[in-house]
Each structure stands twice: as structure tokens, then as C-alpha cells.
Amino acid sequence: MRAMTNSTQTRTAAAAQRPPVAAKRPHSFTLHGTTVTDDYAWLRDSGYPEVTDREVLGHLEAENAWFEARMAPHQPLIDALFTEMRGRIKEADKSVPQKDGDWLYWIEYEEGAEYKKWWRRPVGSAEDGSADVLILDEAVLAEGKDYFSLGDLATSADGKLLAYSCDDNGSERYTVHFKDLVSGAILPDEIPGTLGGLVWVAQDKALVYSLVNDGWRTDNARLHWLGRPLADDVELYHEDDDAFRVGASLSANEKWLVVATSDHETSEVRLFRTDDPLAPPILVAPRRTGVEYDVDERDGVLYVHTNDTHENFRLATAPLASPGEWTTLIEGSDAFYLTGFGLFRDFYVVEGRLAGLDRVEIRYYDDPARIEPVEFPEASYTAGLGSNPEWHMTHLRMSYESMVRPASVLEYDVATRSFRTLKVQEIPSGYDADLYTTERLEIAARDGTAIPVSIVYRKDRAAGGALHLYGYGAYGIAIEPGFSTSRLSLVDRGFAYAIAHIRGGDDLGRAWYKAGKLERRTNTFNDFVDAAKGLVERGYTAAGRISISGGSAGGELMGAVVNSDPGLWGAVVAHVPFVDVLNTMLDETLPLTPAEWPEWGNPIEDKAAFDLILSYSPYDQVRAQAYPPLMVTAGLNDPRVTYWEPAKWVARLRAAKTDSNELIFKTNMGAGHGGKSGRFESLKETAEEFAFILWQLGVEA
């Protein structure tokens, strides 16, 4: 271990008085005829994922000290925001019990608790608490730990065993534990280093799981026989392609173990019998580049959700005996984006989006022409299937919310096509939906494409005030216009809060996603900027009165737009930002890189991809100019966006920017991609973010 240098010690001691200045150490490489310099490459600890380099740690600690020093005068505001946000959360709360087999299951928070308790009681038993059984207490598991995350939890079919996985440092490497639910004893079996779902098979005698390899990739599905040593575990499937990842799940009727392997654009599925998982599997269809599919089964018929003939997916069927012979059941459509389906004994459910709005349809096996759309009460909302664990369901759980309506749990009677409200999110400090209004706008991007923007604000808000704009725009992930209690701390201070549904997400279908990836990646950045300018032109706000935020790939978005249009933003928050895009995509030893090439391009082999990524990579495009106020976060144990990406970006910004605006950077030294764990600890970070925004926009009331 290297000793801390004198210069690092000096930086750390003085961090409270002035921002740290990282040393520049010449480093460069040449590829495709272009030389790229990276004077802050040394911030990557060569021993990663173990970070022990004293100089690197000293620099991160100095940045943290500077962050604390700059935020300290605003601690009263942070505390006030936290109190507000916490006051909107019902602390002693529980979910609506859901039947699964012989038991009703629910989760519960106690007053002041950071973590959940998992409960159950026998179906038909008294509701007075006398039959309630605590099956897992996250607070006990998290005791004494700076970080805790429950990965997956699976109860055996007979209800006697529980498998659960835990991560206590944010590295997303989970250890599986087993509990006897009859005696309450923790069993000696333990499986370290896992990632993904847990599935019981073989009459509850075995568990299927995936180990994560040194590259933070699940390239396997393994079978553990309960009570036997790990050395006896059987690898059911191994994936040789470094770009693919493996996951396992159960079919809806629980007859099949579904083992899927995929990258961002291609998939392949195998079916294993749950009663005999060592029998030869059924390969549904061999992988074809660009073809994605997922599968379920009913009465010897496979149902296949695939994009093979239409980018917005179709639903097909196939005989189990000829699994690759797909016959269309629901055609692909330019108008309707078919995002998924769910099989039940007597009917099936189709989910998707029509004109960007969630749609749920009940359909019937014996009458393909019978389609029953589920009608929701508002014009703009987000809705979908909730937890429906049983094969025979007559009433479906659904979720529903909008930007002004708190989240609701609904029960839909399939026979009568009617809803019953089971639970509405309670806001103890009070909430009056009539004080707020929401709109869905369309703003033209520079190429003429209409970009949807969802916006919420108080009806008494003055026109042209501060506005917060959120965006993501990657991986085909839609940002839905849902409800947020923490958001009210901005909205009640006169902010409008807007979500830009930019290309790169799949908000308007698969074509919308494709229009923001690979060679069209810059559409994402342009859409966000143009949405902001459109909001200014329509009088919702003014240039310099806009705060923006995004995380991970959304942090890349933040980095790109502060380079291109710095004067537009009054405050910028970039969480775990993916800003060192070129260097990361050139390093195939990093956990995610090979799997990311279909999303961003492979700059190692493709000069055009190299040139394009270099042209927008936020770290590489930092230049001498004035930048808006910036707050940046990282997680030391983050396996998705490594800590050195934001660290290097901040270092380069400090050296290049010509302004005196705030630039603060915090690394969670004991957490990963999601920041701190616990419902209140994580809320403190949101309070810090909002305090920074209010401080920079001069709205501290």
C-alpha cells in the first residue's frame, strides 16, 4: 500500500478552505489515428474493485471535505427539507396482503424504521395479529452496517423455506441465505457472490441462482441442492459470450424454469422442467442478432413476445414440441408498443403503451377477438399490473398514479370489469391534489420531432419562475409521469417540475429508443436542450432559472448538456454520472463494457463509433468556458459507473472552467450505484440535492 504523499495530506487538511486540485499526470493513447489525453487516469486504483491507493482515497476524502464545507451553511435548509420529506411518508405503513398459496404475504415499516419487515399469516386466519408470522426482518440484517440491500427473496412452493440474498457494501455481490420458516432457524447453507433472482425447483429441494464473475457478469445458472456442499452444485447453463448475461425465473404456471441469456438487442431462452431440472432443456429458438424474445407456457403452448417482425413487438404462439415455429397471435403495430404480457389460467394480460400512455388489456385464449381494455380514470397517468403470484386469478392487482395523484393499489374484477381501491398512498403532513395541475406538452426538437414533456406545478405558481427538468434517455427505459412526495419540496416553493421524454428511452415505442442510441445518440442530448428551450419560449421559465438532474446514463446527459449549453442551466445535479464514455467503452476488462457495445458502439473496432463517442463524451469534451453550478455524486463500490468517472470529470472541470460557480463532489465511501440505503438515509441525499438547487437559484424559503 502506497503512503500518502505530502501534497495529498496538504490537500486533505485544506479541503475545508478551498477545493481540491487533482494532480495532472501526462497520459495518452492513440487509436484510429487520434491521440486522446487523460491526465487524470491515475484516479483509477489499479487494484479495483478493491480501492486502497492512499493518494486516490485522500483525493476523494478531500473532495468530500470540500462538499461538507460548502454545504454546511445550508444545513438548516437541508434539515428543513428532510423534515418536510419525511413528514410526507407514513412511517408506520404496510402493503396490502396478497394471497400466494396457503398464505397471505405483506411487508411493513415500523415507526422510524429504515428497513422493512416481511410478514405472513395463514389464509382464513384472524386479522387481529395473533396468527401473523415475521419471516424476515431487514432491520436486524442491516444492524451495525453502513449499507444494506436485500437482493431477492423467494419462498418455497410448500411455504416452509425462505431463500434471500443480501449485499452489505453496495458492490451488488449478494450472499444467499436460507431460513426454515417452520422452526425459524437459519440454515447452514450459504452462497456468496450471487446476482439476480432466486428460484426454487425440484419439489423445493433445490435453488437456482447465478454467480457473478470477476467481470461483474452473470454468465451462468446454477443449481444448489439444499443441505449439500457448494462443490456439489450443478451448472445448468453457461454463457460463453462476454456481452450476454444470464437470468432465471419461473413460468406463470410454475412448471418451467426459464433461463434467459441476452445482451441489449439479442436474446435466447431455454426451458427446464421444475420437477426435473437436470433433464435436457428445451431451446426455444437459437439467438439471432437483433431478435429479442421472452417466453411463457400454458397447456403445451408457448407464448412468445418478440420483435422479430416488428420493432414494437408482436405476441406469437408455438407448440411446445416445435418451440421455434412462431404463429402470430397479436400483430406488431406502429401505434401500440407491446411491452409485455402475463399468463393466467383463464385469460392473459397484455401491457403496452399507446401514444406514450400505459394500456392494459385482458384477452382470452378461446376467443382471440375478445379484447377488454382496462379503463383508467385520468387522461395522463402511469399504470400496470402489480403482484399477481397465483395461476388462477379472478381479481388482478394493479398500480395507478399520476403526477398529481398519489400511488394507488387497485383490485380489478376481471368478470365485472370494475375496480376496487385497496390502498392510496397516505401523506401524513397533508396533500391537496386540487392545488396542483399537470400537463403533457409536445415541444419540437431541432429536427422537427415532437418531444413529449410531462409537467406538474401549483395552480398559483407565477409564470416564468424556476423549473426543474429531469431526463434519462437510454437503454429503452421510459420515465413515466408518476407521483413523488419529495418533489413537492420544489413544487411548493414555486418550481414547475418537468420530465422530458427524450429519445433513447422507449416512451413512444421501440423506434423512439433506437433514435437515441448508437450513431443517433446525440438526439438524446439535443432533445433535452430543445425541450428546455421550448419551456422557456412558452413562458414556463427562463434561461438560467432551470435546474436539471439525472443519474448514471442520465448523468451522461447532464455532462453533455453542460458542455453544449452551459448558460441555460441555473443548477445541475449529476448522480453517479457515466461521463467517461470513451475510456470505458475502450476497456473490455470493465464489468459492463462488452455488453454495452450494442448500446453505444464498439470504439475498439469501429472508427466511426470511436469518433462519435469522442465527440460527445462529457469528460473528453470539457473545455475552457463558464459552467453552471454543479453537484456530482459517486459510489466507491459502484460496479456500474466506476467512481473514477465522476472523479476524473470533476478534476478536469476544476482545471478548465473559467467561472467561480460552485462545483462540489461527494463520494459515498460505503455505497454503490444507488447511494445510501434505508428509506430515510437515502432521503437525506435528496434533501442535499434540493438544498443545492434552491441555494443556487436563490430560493431558500
Side-chain angles (χ1 to χ4, degrees):
M1 186 180 294
R2 282 184 279 177
M4 185 182 293
T5 65
N6 290 335
S7 60
T8 304
Q9 290 172 328
T10 301
R11 281 201 307 271
T12 303
Q17 287 75 43
R18 56 188 176 84
V21 177
K24 286 186 177 182
R25 296 180 183 166
H27 174 82
S28 65
F29 64 89
T30 301
L31 185 63
H32 301 304
T34 299
T35 298
V36 177
T37 61
D38 185 6
D39 294 340
Y40 302 102
W42 66 270
L43 284 168
R44 173 181 177 172
D45 191 319
S46 59
Y48 182 83
E50 296 295 325
V51 184
T52 58
D53 187 303
R54 289 293 186 88
E55 190 165 14
V56 170
L57 289 170
H59 178 73
L60 298 178
E61 288 160 359
E63 285 283 8
N64 282 353
W66 177 247
F67 180 96
E68 295 298 332
R70 298 305 295 161
M71 292 300 292
H74 308 281
Q75 193 60 48
L77 176 59
I78 296 170
D79 294 341
L81 288 165
F82 175 74
T83 300
E84 284 177 19
M85 294 175 187
R86 184 165 181 165
R88 300 188 191 106
I89 295 174
K90 185 178 181 182
E91 296 204 12
D93 200 8
K94 63 187 292 186
S95 64
V96 181
Q98 176 64 293
K99 181 178 178 294
D100 188 3
D102 296 331
W103 299 85
L104 291 168
Y105 291 86
W106 71 96
I107 58 174
E108 193 167 316
Y109 279 106
E110 292 183 345
E111 191 82 20
E114 293 278 2
Y115 298 98
K116 307 182 195 76
K117 289 186 174 183
W118 297 73
W119 292 88
R120 73 177 185 180
R121 67 171 180 265
V123 172
S125 62
E127 298 184 21
D128 60 4
S130 60
D132 296 356
V133 179
L134 178 62
I135 62 173
L136 195 71
D137 189 338
E138 291 186 31
V140 171
L141 298 175
E143 191 172 351
K145 298 180 173 68
D146 291 333
Y147 179 92
F148 173 80
S149 171
L150 184 70
D152 194 24
L153 177 148
T155 308
S156 61
D158 63 9
K160 295 179 180 179
L161 296 167
L162 179 71
Y164 60 95
S165 59
C166 304
D167 166 26
D168 61 9
N169 62 15
S171 65
E172 297 187 53
R173 288 168 169 83
Y174 293 82
T175 298
V176 179
H177 305 274
F178 297 85
K179 183 177 181 179
D180 184 327
L181 293 178
V182 177
S183 68
I186 302 298
L187 302 179
D189 301 56
E190 192 173 281
I191 311 172
T194 73
L195 183 65
L198 307 174
V199 184
W200 287 100
V201 295
Q203 293 82 44
D204 301 331
K205 295 182 179 67
L207 187 84
V208 176
Y209 66 95
S210 294
L211 287 177
V212 60
N213 63 19
D214 290 341
W216 196 71
R217 185 173 71 92
T218 52
D219 58 9
N220 60 88
R222 299 177 63 83
L223 184 74
H224 173 69
W225 295 103
L226 197 62
R228 297 187 192 175
L230 292 182
D232 290 349
D233 288 4
V234 178
E235 187 170 68
L236 298 176
Y237 176 72
H238 183 83
E239 175 57 59
D240 294 324
D241 191 325
D242 287 343
F244 279 63
R245 281 165 171 76
V246 177
S249 61
L250 274 181
S251 63
N253 60 16
E254 300 188 357
K255 293 180 179 179
W256 299 96
L257 171 71
V258 182
V259 175
T261 181
S262 63
D263 63 3
H264 286 292
E265 61 178 12
T266 305
S267 54
E268 185 176 79
V269 176
R270 288 168 175 81
L271 302 177
F272 295 75
R273 288 173 50 185
T274 54
D275 62 351
D276 186 8
L278 296 180
I282 297 171
L283 172 62
V284 176
R287 68 191 68 178
R288 286 188 289 151
T289 300
V291 174
E292 299 173 75
Y293 72 94
D294 54 280
V295 178
D296 209 337
E297 186 270 346
R298 175 186 180 270
D299 292 348
V301 178
L302 295 179
Y303 289 75
V304 185
H305 172 237
T306 180
N307 67 343
D308 63 338
T309 63
H310 197 287
E311 62 187 0
N312 275 348
F313 288 78
R314 63 169 173 148
L315 188 64
T317 59
L320 190 59
S322 305
E325 297 177 5
W326 299 348
T327 301
T328 296
L329 180 63
I330 302 175
E331 293 279 1
S333 165
D334 290 341
F336 180 59
Y337 177 31
L338 202 165
T339 58
F341 71 104
L343 300 186
F344 299 92
R345 192 190 72 177
D346 301 325
F347 57 87
Y348 63 101
V349 180
V350 168
E351 293 186 274
R353 283 194 288 278
L354 186 65
L357 200 62
D358 288 340
R359 182 177 173 90
V360 181
E361 298 174 349
I362 310 297
R363 293 183 176 237
Y364 293 86
Y365 303 109
D366 56 357
D367 187 358
R370 183 181 175 189
I371 303 170
E372 298 178 355
V374 177
E375 302 295 338
F376 295 101
E378 290 181 300
S380 179
Y381 59 86
T382 175
L385 284 181
S387 172
N388 295 282
E390 295 192 317
W391 179 234
H392 178 37
M393 301 284 289
T394 59
H395 295 71
L396 295 173
R397 288 283 172 86
M398 295 191 185
S399 61
Y400 178 84
E401 61 188 279
S402 74
M403 291 189 84
V404 297
R405 297 292 173 186
S408 298
V409 178
L410 308 177
E411 183 179 77
Y412 182 73
D413 186 324
V414 177
T416 64
R417 303 179 66 178
S418 61
F419 277 115
R420 181 166 70 101
T421 300
L422 301 180
K423 180 181 173 69
V424 177
Q425 180 182 0
E426 185 178 332
I427 303 174
S429 61
Y431 175 72
D432 182 357
D434 291 336
L435 296 177
Y436 306 88
T437 189
T438 182
E439 299 177 58
R440 190 171 175 90
L441 313 173
E442 287 192 345
I443 295 175
R446 63 196 67 182
D447 64 359
T449 301
I451 309 303
V453 177
S454 298
I455 186 169
V456 63
Y457 53 90
R458 284 182 64 112
K459 293 176 181 177
D460 59 0
R461 173 183 181 261
L467 179 143
H468 187 81
L469 183 63
Y470 177 81
Y472 186 71
Y475 299 111
I477 295 174
I479 305 301
E480 297 183 325
F483 188 76
S484 165
T485 56
S486 59
R487 181 189 300 155
L488 295 173
S489 289
L490 292 181
V491 175
D492 285 345
R493 286 174 170 81
F495 276 69
Y497 191 103
I499 300 169
H501 303 284
I502 51 184
R503 284 173 283 187
D506 68 353
D507 306 63
L508 296 186
R510 204 66 172 175
W512 199 251
Y513 163 45
K514 291 180 179 178
K517 65 181 292 193
L518 294 172
E519 69 278 0
R520 293 186 283 178
R521 179 62 184 154
T522 54
N523 281 339
T524 301
F525 315 137
N526 295 340
D527 287 356
F528 190 82
V529 169
D530 295 342
K533 291 179 177 178
L535 290 166
V536 171
E537 290 168 2
R538 297 187 187 200
Y540 287 95
T541 189
R545 298 291 294 159
I546 305 172
S547 61
I548 59 175
S549 66
S552 196
E556 177 203 282
L557 170 66
M558 298 299 102
V561 302
V562 298
N563 282 335
S564 67
D565 293 83
L568 198 52
W569 322 116
V572 181
V573 180
H575 292 293
V576 291
F578 176 42
V579 284
D580 194 12
V581 186
L582 182 63
N583 281 312
T584 295
M585 289 298 99
L586 286 171
D587 188 350
E588 53 193 318
T589 69
L590 288 174
L592 293 177
T593 294
E596 295 291 296
W597 288 330
E599 184 76 19
W600 313 102
N602 183 346
I604 300 172
E605 299 179 356
D606 185 347
K607 183 180 186 301
F610 177 95
D611 291 341
L612 178 62
I613 294 171
L614 179 61
S615 74
Y616 70 71
S617 175
Y619 175 64
D620 294 288
Q621 293 305 316
V622 170
R623 62 191 70 123
Q625 64 177 7
Y627 279 89
L630 274 154
M631 172 179 170
V632 184
T633 68
L636 190 67
N637 300 323
D638 189 348
R640 298 174 186 262
V641 176
T642 50
Y643 76 87
W644 61 81
E645 291 205 32
K648 289 166 56 178
W649 182 48
V650 168
R652 183 169 276 182
L653 282 167
R654 285 206 194 286
K657 71 193 194 83
T658 59
D659 59 87
S660 58
N661 290 329
E662 292 292 334
L663 173 56
I664 56 176
F665 172 44
K666 180 177 75 170
T667 301
N668 280 309
M669 305 301 279
H673 198 62
K676 290 183 178 179
S677 60
R679 58 174 176 163
F680 301 128
E681 283 299 311
S682 59
L683 208 58
K684 290 177 182 177
E685 296 192 325
T686 304
E688 282 184 337
E689 173 186 347
F690 283 11
F692 177 79
I693 289 168
L694 294 170
W695 166 28
Q696 295 307 313
L697 292 183
V699 185
E700 293 206 43

